[in-house]
Amino acid sequence: MTRYRIVVVTGNVNKKREIELILSDFGESFEVLTEPSLRKLEIQADQVEDIARAAIENIARVVKPRSSTYIVVEDDGLYIEALGGFPGPYSEYVYRTIGLRGVLKLLEDVDNRRAVFKSALGVYTPSGKIEVVCGEVSGYIARELRGSGGFGYDPIFVPDGYDVTFAEMSLEEKCRVSHRARAFRELGKLILSGSLA
Amino acid sequence: MTRYRIVVVTGNVNKKREIELILSDFGESFEVLTEPSLRKLEIQADQVEDIARAAIENIARVVKPRSSTYIVVEDDGLYIEALGGFPGPYSEYVYRTIGLRGVLKLLEDVDNRRAVFKSALGVYTPSGKIEVVCGEVSGYIARELRGSGGFGYDPIFVPDGYDVTFAEMSLEEKCRVSHRARAFRELGKLILSGSLA
């Protein structure tokens, strides 16, 4: 059995832990490595798909394909319906500046709390092809911060079918339904089926 | 007397009008043209200087230097102190999603309304050099939208030394003090002094 290397361009240990857990569903098929030193060029664009594609294209210019090795950049964002898609692709900067309390303030007295968490993976395959694989989960924004697990927007996002936030779930529970889990599981399936060579 | 061409990579007619007015201070020295078809690649970065530099570097890869011609990309952003620099480099997306009313909501009951409007020009010179020229103006965020002139954040930004917003000023007044005016006037001086050949 081939064991594939998934090299994720990130310095975020929380993401790494989640990806390892998600891909462990496939037994020993995948080894997850992180590569924080490759430059992840993030462009400004409304859709995380476009940002992930540009980032992996940029990496493909400086890296050679390697047998059984997939290089992956993830871009994700929380798109809140009543806020026109805010904070979307700029979720990280918004988190660092106005924070979760700022986002909740924008939704004070707003009944429509629908939101979609999106993850897009830019993938550079062993044969040197570029692909984008996406995952998303719909849900709603809680009225207040709840839970201490996870990271980022997890304390305010409740996925459909649950009444707890991502931050109130165990890592295992979150990784059953999260946008990131859906994207990486799709990636795993595509690789194992041979359609992402 | 040499007449210089300033080719601004933008499709924004409001910006073009302002830049023409600002550079008309230098008599007939500058002709302002816009070039909306060159691709302005905007990266994600906290500082408008870094975004402008990357954008002009990208253009320099596909365009040849031309005698007496300066290619300019502008990136600007409104940095609100009490919001940790929000919306900063992502002012345009924030404007399109939560809008000025969203920004005012975030500042409800906030006494510190200090803000800085920043403009950074990425410049590609006739000899093929890359430079970044900046301008900024300090001020504060108004309690409500005021005025119908200008565009973008103009209805909520009051520059220091005034008690009216940019949107309440005539174009001539705004172009005496704005971040954009300061950046383009500096550019004009540098070109005419020969230090940006």
Side-chain angles (χ1 to χ4, degrees):
Chain A
M1 190 201 77
T2 312
R3 189 155 194 237
Y4 298 97
R5 273 182 297 275
I6 307 290
V7 179
V8 187
V9 182
T10 184
N12 186 327
V13 291
N14 291 301
K15 285 195 183 183
K16 187 186 184 204
R17 199 176 311 134
E18 291 190 8
I19 296 162
E20 283 174 333
L21 184 64
I22 295 159
L23 292 177
S24 71
D25 280 3
F26 298 96
E28 296 290 309
S29 301
F30 299 106
E31 177 187 11
V32 178
L33 305 161
T34 55
E35 178 49 272
S37 68
L38 273 177
R39 182 156 171 254
K40 185 178 167 195
L41 181 89
E42 291 177 300
I43 63 163
Q44 296 188 34
D46 288 2
Q47 298 304 326
V48 290
E49 293 91 311
D50 296 329
I51 298 169
R53 181 179 297 280
I56 197 68
E57 283 173 351
N58 195 58
I59 284 169
R61 280 187 203 106
V62 295
V63 170
K64 285 201 169 60
R66 270 180 63 196
S67 164
S68 306
T69 301
Y70 293 80
I71 301 181
V72 177
V73 294
E74 189 203 15
D75 197 65
D76 66 343
L78 178 64
Y79 290 75
I80 300 173
E81 195 173 284
L83 302 181
F86 178 89
Y90 309 119
S91 293
E92 198 261 335
Y93 188 81
V94 169
Y95 181 84
R96 277 194 284 127
T97 54
I98 66 171
L100 302 185
R101 287 191 170 72
V103 174
L104 289 183
K105 187 166 177 71
L106 288 167
L107 288 172
E108 261 173 16
D109 312 315
V110 175
D111 287 331
N112 173 14
R113 306 187 76 84
R114 301 293 306 156
V116 183
F117 230 143
K118 298 184 184 182
S119 166
L121 311 181
V123 184
Y124 184 55
T125 75
S127 69
K129 285 202 285 282
I130 299 276
E131 298 286 345
V132 177
V133 177
C134 298
E136 60 179 57
V137 56
S138 296
Y140 65 89
I141 304 300
R143 296 264 164 198
E144 67 286 311
L145 274 67
R146 285 165 23 201
S148 57
F151 65 104
Y153 290 84
D154 288 353
I156 62 168
F157 184 80
V158 179
D160 282 348
Y162 291 78
D163 54 12
V164 291
T165 67
F166 273 164
E168 291 176 305
M169 294 180 174
S170 68
L171 197 61
E172 289 70 19
E173 264 183 300
K174 179 187 171 190
C175 288
R176 269 199 288 276
V177 291
S178 80
H179 53 309
R180 181 168 300 115
R182 287 174 178 175
F184 274 96
R185 268 204 301 270
E186 177 69 12
L187 174 66
K189 281 182 207 163
L190 289 169
I191 291 173
L192 293 180
S193 74
S195 49
L196 257 194
Chain B
M1 192 199 76
T2 312
R3 189 154 195 238
Y4 298 98
R5 273 181 298 273
I6 307 290
V7 179
V8 186
V9 181
T10 184
N12 186 326
V13 291
N14 291 301
K15 286 195 182 182
K16 189 189 183 202
R17 199 177 311 133
E18 290 190 8
I19 296 162
E20 284 174 331
L21 184 64
I22 295 159
L23 292 177
S24 72
D25 280 4
F26 298 97
E28 297 290 308
S29 300
F30 299 106
E31 178 186 11
V32 178
L33 305 161
T34 55
E35 177 50 271
S37 68
L38 272 177
R39 184 158 168 251
K40 185 180 167 194
L41 182 89
E42 291 177 300
I43 63 163
Q44 296 189 33
D46 288 3
Q47 298 303 326
V48 290
E49 293 90 312
D50 296 329
I51 298 169
R53 182 179 298 277
I56 197 68
E57 282 173 350
N58 195 58
I59 284 169
R61 279 186 204 108
V62 295
V63 170
K64 285 200 169 60
R66 271 179 63 196
S67 163
S68 308
T69 300
Y70 294 79
I71 301 182
V72 177
V73 292
E74 189 204 16
D75 198 65
D76 66 342
L78 178 63
Y79 290 74
I80 300 174
E81 194 173 286
L83 302 181
F86 178 90
Y90 310 119
S91 294
E92 197 262 335
Y93 188 80
V94 169
Y95 181 84
R96 277 193 284 127
T97 54
I98 66 171
L100 301 185
R101 286 191 170 74
V103 174
L104 289 183
K105 186 166 179 69
L106 289 166
L107 289 172
E108 260 173 18
D109 310 316
V110 175
D111 287 333
N112 174 13
R113 306 188 75 83
R114 302 293 306 158
V116 182
F117 231 142
K118 298 184 184 183
S119 165
L121 311 181
V123 184
Y124 185 55
T125 75
S127 69
K129 284 202 285 282
I130 299 277
E131 299 285 346
V132 177
V133 177
C134 297
E136 60 178 57
V137 56
S138 296
Y140 66 89
I141 304 299
R143 297 263 164 198
E144 68 286 309
L145 274 67
R146 284 163 25 199
S148 57
F151 65 103
Y153 290 84
D154 288 353
I156 62 169
F157 185 80
V158 179
D160 283 346
Y162 290 78
D163 54 11
V164 291
T165 67
F166 273 165
E168 292 175 303
M169 295 180 173
S170 67
L171 196 62
E172 288 71 18
E173 263 182 303
K174 179 187 170 190
C175 288
R176 268 199 288 275
V177 290
S178 80
H179 53 310
R180 181 168 300 113
R182 286 173 180 176
F184 274 95
R185 268 204 301 270
E186 177 69 11
L187 174 67
K189 280 181 206 162
L190 289 169
I191 292 173
L192 294 181
S193 74
S195 48
L196 256 194

